Amino acid sequence: MLKRIKPGQARLGMFIEAIEGSWADHPFWRNQFRLDRAKDVERLKSSHATAVIIDTDKGVDVALPIAMTERSSPHPRENLSLKRALRTIEQSKPLITEMFENARIGGTIPVSHAAQAVEHIAACMQDSGKALIEVTRLKARDEYTFLHSIAVSGLVVHLARAVGLDEKMIRDLGMGGLLHDIGKMRVPLKVLNKSAPLNDVEMGQVRLHPSHGYQLLAKQGDVPRVVLDICLHHHERIDGSGYPNGLFDKQISIAVRITSICDVYDALTSARAYKKAWNPRDAARLMLEQEGQFDRRLLMQLFHSLRL
Ligand SMILES: [Fe+2]
């Protein structure tokens, strides 16, 4: 399991999945390694890294049982929320993984899995939403795709509820959040996993993923129209600068507007091989500064409801 800890909690035998902060803030040239030398533990403890993400399946845990938050003794209610969030991820993982793997090999996508996963996610968002969003921010490279899908689905459900959409629409939006990037399964892995900047050809391959996803889902025959809309258009932008169709303003549905905001917010607040995770407030500020990209009313509603 991934946990975010303070650098001061580092100890021998931990497996470091990621170090948050700029390269200048810590002395390690690589992010993923086991802390096997006392000297490295001390270097990490005394570094200016903002946080460290450890994988307790690959190394030892922190001395205290819970370190998902930076408080050493979380309220029992937070513990319950965290457990609920982790259970939701465990329940959803096989469902999402099978859909995405089938998309990769060109097989039939069991879309009913998405509906099942959305039930788990929507229920969790009602009482443990904050924990689910926090836990899914801790993504390792090999689990980025499915955790990003869960996070976007959860955020979309949260924002759709805040806006007051009906439950059927909320479920469809949640499904769209889960499946919005399924077309990435048709993009070559070496392009998807590349940490260096993409060249024009590779960028072109990535930019085809909305169309790939739409085609994959449309041929299933039982996918709600809202989900198809989200899949095809989640990279469209209000000012017409998005892709694949360069839709402008009112041409972009509310379902797509909600999903594109949640997609970018989760991507910004997650660590990747090539960038550190932004803290939620900085991500909110950046998105608000990007004039013409997002629906500002919905953006404000999301940030207000997340208490940023
Ligand atoms: Fe995408």
Side-chain angles (χ1 to χ4, degrees):
M1 185 172 82
L2 296 178
K3 289 184 177 180
R4 176 183 280 112
I5 65 170
K6 289 192 274 191
Q9 292 175 288
R11 65 191 185 110
L12 272 179
M14 281 180 165
F15 186 87
I16 307 298
E17 190 67 38
I19 300 173
E20 293 186 4
S22 75
W23 290 108
D25 292 335
H26 65 78
F28 302 99
W29 59 272
R30 61 205 168 127
N31 261 349
Q32 295 178 322
F33 60 99
R34 185 183 301 276
L35 269 180
D36 285 331
R37 300 187 308 175
K39 193 169 72 176
D40 285 344
V41 176
E42 290 313 310
R43 288 164 78 201
L44 187 54
K45 280 184 169 179
S46 58
S47 74
H48 295 292
T50 50
V52 179
I53 295 168
I54 60 167
D55 188 338
T56 57
D57 293 331
K58 298 177 184 169
V60 303
D61 205 340
V62 283
L64 292 169
I66 294 293
M68 291 308 304
T69 69
E70 294 195 351
R71 286 158 50 186
S72 56
S73 53
H75 191 279
R77 196 182 175 85
E78 288 179 32
N79 260 337
L80 279 178
S81 291
L82 183 58
K83 281 185 183 160
R84 177 113 161 78
L86 293 171
R87 193 169 70 238
T88 300
I89 291 170
E90 286 309 308
Q91 289 167 327
S92 306
K93 182 174 182 174
L95 300 168
I96 298 169
T97 304
E98 192 182 340
M99 285 190 295
F100 277 66
E101 278 309 311
N102 282 21
R104 189 189 299 283
I105 61 176
T108 303
I109 299 166
V111 176
S112 61
H113 284 14
Q116 278 182 58
V118 169
E119 286 307 313
H120 296 312
I121 294 165
C124 183
M125 288 305 292
Q126 252 165 347
D127 54 22
S128 307
K130 195 171 169 221
L132 185 64
I133 299 309
E134 277 302 304
V135 173
T136 52
R137 284 181 63 200
L138 308 175
K139 303 173 180 70
R141 181 193 286 214
D142 61 341
E143 57 186 5
Y144 187 91
T145 305
F146 96 87
L147 282 181
H148 176 62
S149 303
I150 290 178
V152 175
S153 182
L155 284 164
V156 157
V157 165
H158 172 81
L159 182 50
R161 278 188 181 139
V163 171
L165 299 183
D166 66 62
E167 272 305 309
K168 164 81 172 74
M169 184 65 161
I170 289 171
R171 291 296 190 278
D172 285 354
L173 267 157
M175 196 187 280
L178 266 188
L179 296 171
H180 72 286
D181 264 349
I182 199 164
K184 281 196 177 166
M185 296 298 106
R186 309 315 297 269
V187 177
L189 269 177
K190 68 176 193 318
V191 175
L192 275 188
N193 291 334
K194 190 174 171 184
S195 51
L198 301 182
N199 62 37
D200 288 350
V201 174
E202 292 163 338
M203 189 61 83
Q205 289 174 307
V206 171
R207 287 168 69 107
L208 283 175
H209 80 269
S211 305
H212 285 320
Y214 175 84
Q215 285 158 12
L216 279 168
L217 293 177
K219 72 181 182 193
Q220 304 295 316
D222 52 354
V223 179
R225 287 177 65 89
V226 172
V227 177
L228 296 176
D229 183 27
I230 288 171
C231 198
L232 182 60
H233 293 130
H234 67 277
H235 285 281
E236 301 288 356
R237 295 292 179 256
I238 299 293
D239 60 3
S241 63
Y243 65 91
N245 300 122
L247 297 185
F248 182 75
D249 200 15
K250 298 276 188 289
Q251 293 173 315
I252 304 173
S253 67
I254 186 168
V256 169
R257 289 166 188 241
I258 286 175
T259 310
S260 62
I261 286 172
C262 298
D263 182 25
V264 173
Y265 174 77
D266 182 65
L268 284 174
T269 53
S270 302
R272 299 301 309 267
Y274 50 84
K275 73 160 190 70
K276 66 167 188 165
W278 291 60
N279 76 46
R281 282 192 182 182
D282 289 345
R285 196 173 306 123
L286 179 81
M287 289 178 76
L288 283 168
E289 283 169 7
Q290 292 181 331
E291 284 287 321
Q293 295 280 294
F294 308 105
D295 183 316
R296 286 186 76 82
R297 190 179 57 86
L298 290 172
L299 204 49
M300 293 300 295
Q301 207 142 7
L302 177 68
F303 298 151
H304 181 69
S305 64
L306 292 175
R307 294 187 170 79
L308 297 182

